[in-house]
Amino acid sequence: MSTAQRRRTQVAIIGGGPSGLLLSQLLHRRGIDSIVIERRSKEHVLARIRAGILESGFVGLMREAGIAERMDRECFIHEGTMIAYDNRKFRVNFREHTGTDVVVYGQTEVTRDLYEAREKMGGAIDFNVDDVQIHDANGSAPYLTYEKNGTNHRIDCDFIAGCDGFHGVSRQAIPLSVRHEYEKTYPFGWLGVLSETPPVHEELIYANSTRGFALCSMRNASLSRYYIQCALNDSPDDWTDRMFWDELKRRIPEEDADRLVTGPSVEKSIAPLRSFVTEPMRWGRLFLCGDAAHIVPPTGAKGLNTAASDVHYLYTGLRQFYEDGDSDGIDRYSERALARVWKAERFSWNTTNLLHRFPSQTEFDLKMQRAELDFLRDSRDAQKVFAQNYVGLPY
């Protein structure tokens, strides 16, 4: 391999999504060099329709990374959320119970801001790469190889950050004799619709109904995101826009259904629900971040936020290593990240069980679910615990 195709950096980052880009931006502001590689195009990454709820910790990282200006200008600040059942709803007040709130700002916009920041700083990103391979991750001189436009490339580095998602190469690079995977699959999916319509409510509505779960969310004042629980074998083509809106109205309180503004879907998709964690999140000089290491059901909006907490722990550890010569942060990265990951998994799992209809539920199970909802509605202590988890546990 010619030297022209070989580069060196301190941290090689696999994955040009928000977690990889956020890590690179934070490192750059501390003078730590990185190169990002991404198997898809920039346009493809920006076309992904993803989460839009940012925990307070994520917002803090955006500010530390110097990319919060547009977010602060355009975001919605939510000081609570609505939970509906039996044709009525109650509010959990985040500000009252925790002193903080969450921000509604789409993942696409976060990613766009991160790309803009990286381009301004002249940071290296290689898009459309193929055949990414991780070498000597458990040794003292790790490196990546990949192919782009028929040319082979090599990146030598001190550390590798695997931010390449559930289907990426990073997790698979950890031997099966080392990694342990925990998984729960759910017997339903979420049918999601994006529409250029005003939100039905100023805050999110999480709805439990006899017909299944529904969620009313938004991206901005004229772009709404709605979801309904559906069968795993459903296809988006099975659902016309009219069918979707009619079903959504059946699952939310009548007062909200009556003022719901409907319109043509801009995007329609079905996502299965899964809880997944792999341990450890570090092998030698390879560190897993985000979906490469864990998946949560979307109930409670923990996916992107848990990736951000991984970035926090890894960024902090790398800073300590390069600035202070202290390896404690990277040595304990997996331990610290997983301690928070499992708490986020618990919240997502618990909230999913609270709000969905399961095929195997007995009458007793349904009574217990109803009792849980009643208890959350009536107990300030229960609402405080819910709020603490929703706005984000401390790093």
Side-chain angles (χ1 to χ4, degrees):
M1 186 177 294
S2 68
T3 56
Q5 300 159 333
R6 185 170 179 172
R7 291 175 289 173
R8 171 156 185 88
T9 190
Q10 290 171 297
V11 183
I13 300 173
I14 308 173
S19 56
L21 293 170
L22 179 60
L23 176 62
S24 71
Q25 179 68 7
L26 288 164
L27 292 173
H28 168 75
R29 287 171 66 87
R30 304 298 299 199
I32 301 168
D33 187 55
S34 67
I35 295 174
V36 179
I37 63 171
E38 166 59 45
R39 68 185 184 93
R40 308 304 289 264
S41 67
K42 175 182 175 182
E43 293 71 25
H44 183 276
V45 176
L46 288 172
R48 297 169 181 161
I49 304 297
R50 294 290 190 268
I53 305 295
L54 308 185
E55 294 177 352
S56 55
F58 196 134
V59 171
L61 285 175
M62 293 276 284
R63 294 192 174 121
E64 186 172 355
I67 55 164
E69 181 180 352
R70 188 164 74 97
M71 177 191 70
D72 287 337
R73 185 174 65 249
E74 298 180 6
C75 74
F76 289 172
I77 296 175
H78 280 192
E79 297 183 357
T81 196
M82 308 302 299
I83 297 177
Y85 69 109
D86 288 353
N87 199 34
R88 56 184 175 171
K89 57 184 184 287
F90 65 91
R91 184 171 187 258
V92 178
N93 189 320
F94 302 151
R95 173 66 63 176
E96 176 186 345
H97 291 298
T98 71
T100 188
D101 43 49
V102 295
V103 160
V104 178
Y105 189 65
Q107 178 173 324
T108 300
E109 304 311 313
V110 172
T111 309
R112 197 184 309 279
D113 294 342
L114 285 162
Y115 274 136
E116 181 180 339
R118 187 151 187 86
E119 289 162 2
K120 281 183 179 178
M121 74 185 191
I125 305 181
D126 271 7
F127 293 102
N128 298 305
V129 304
D130 291 315
D131 193 27
V132 177
Q133 296 184 39
I134 297 171
H135 304 268
D136 296 340
N138 202 33
S140 59
Y143 64 98
L144 301 178
T145 59
Y146 60 94
E147 185 269 335
K148 180 178 178 179
N149 297 329
T151 301
N152 294 322
H153 295 259
R154 171 172 170 157
I155 300 176
D156 295 282
C157 55
D158 300 329
F159 302 101
I160 298 170
C163 306
D164 51 346
F166 183 78
H167 299 289
V169 302
S170 297
R171 185 177 71 258
Q172 303 302 325
I174 301 177
L176 286 171
S177 60
V178 174
R179 78 175 191 265
H180 192 131
E181 297 181 351
Y182 305 85
E183 183 172 21
K184 176 179 177 59
T185 57
Y186 297 83
F188 43 73
W190 276 18
L191 171 63
V193 162
L194 191 70
S195 63
E196 293 177 337
T197 56
V200 69
H201 195 277
E202 61 270 18
E203 294 179 336
L204 272 65
I205 302 174
Y206 289 87
N208 172 303
S209 87
T210 58
R211 301 181 65 89
F213 169 78
L215 171 62
C216 302
S217 182
M218 74 283 290
R219 291 296 175 266
N220 55 51
S222 58
L223 190 63
S224 297
R225 184 71 164 161
Y226 296 101
Y227 300 92
I228 58 173
Q229 178 183 344
C230 67
L232 274 176
N233 58 0
D234 278 2
S235 164
D237 295 335
D238 298 333
W239 291 82
T240 65
D241 288 352
R242 177 62 181 272
M243 290 169 61
F244 176 86
W245 293 121
D246 287 348
E247 185 60 30
L248 177 64
K249 289 179 179 180
R250 296 184 188 106
R251 300 187 186 191
I252 62 178
E254 288 179 9
E255 63 175 353
D256 299 299
D258 289 344
R259 65 169 176 257
L260 178 69
V261 178
T262 65
S265 60
V266 177
E267 189 267 350
K268 189 185 297 177
S269 59
I270 291 179
L273 272 64
R274 169 193 290 129
S275 297
F276 175 87
V277 180
T278 189
E279 297 184 355
M281 289 175 57
R282 177 200 180 184
W283 184 57
R285 290 175 175 251
L286 169 65
F287 302 85
L288 304 182
C289 279
D291 287 359
H294 43 77
I295 302 283
V296 292
T299 328
K302 291 298 156 208
L304 178 61
N305 289 296
T306 307
S309 70
D310 296 344
V311 169
H312 162 78
Y313 291 118
L314 182 53
Y315 159 62
T316 301
L318 291 169
R319 274 186 55 193
Q320 291 173 344
F321 178 84
Y322 284 112
E323 295 176 0
D324 305 324
D326 182 358
S327 66
D328 180 70
I330 57 176
D331 291 340
R332 298 186 61 195
Y333 165 74
S334 181
E335 170 194 345
R336 288 170 172 158
L338 282 167
R340 194 177 188 279
V341 163
W342 278 114
K343 292 172 185 174
E345 291 278 348
R346 184 210 65 83
F347 179 69
S348 297
W349 164 82
N350 190 59
T351 310
T352 299
N353 280 279
L354 180 70
L355 295 171
H356 291 74
R357 282 295 190 267
F358 287 75
S360 61
Q361 278 177 316
T362 65
E363 291 187 5
F364 178 86
D365 296 329
L366 292 171
K367 286 289 189 180
M368 288 296 98
Q369 186 181 67
R370 169 61 186 266
E372 287 283 352
L373 286 163
D374 287 345
F375 184 69
L376 180 59
R377 181 195 62 202
D378 298 336
S379 169
R380 284 182 53 83
D381 289 338
Q383 289 189 19
K384 182 175 182 179
V385 170
F386 185 94
Q388 288 172 330
N389 280 272
Y390 199 99
V391 303
L393 298 173
Y395 293 159

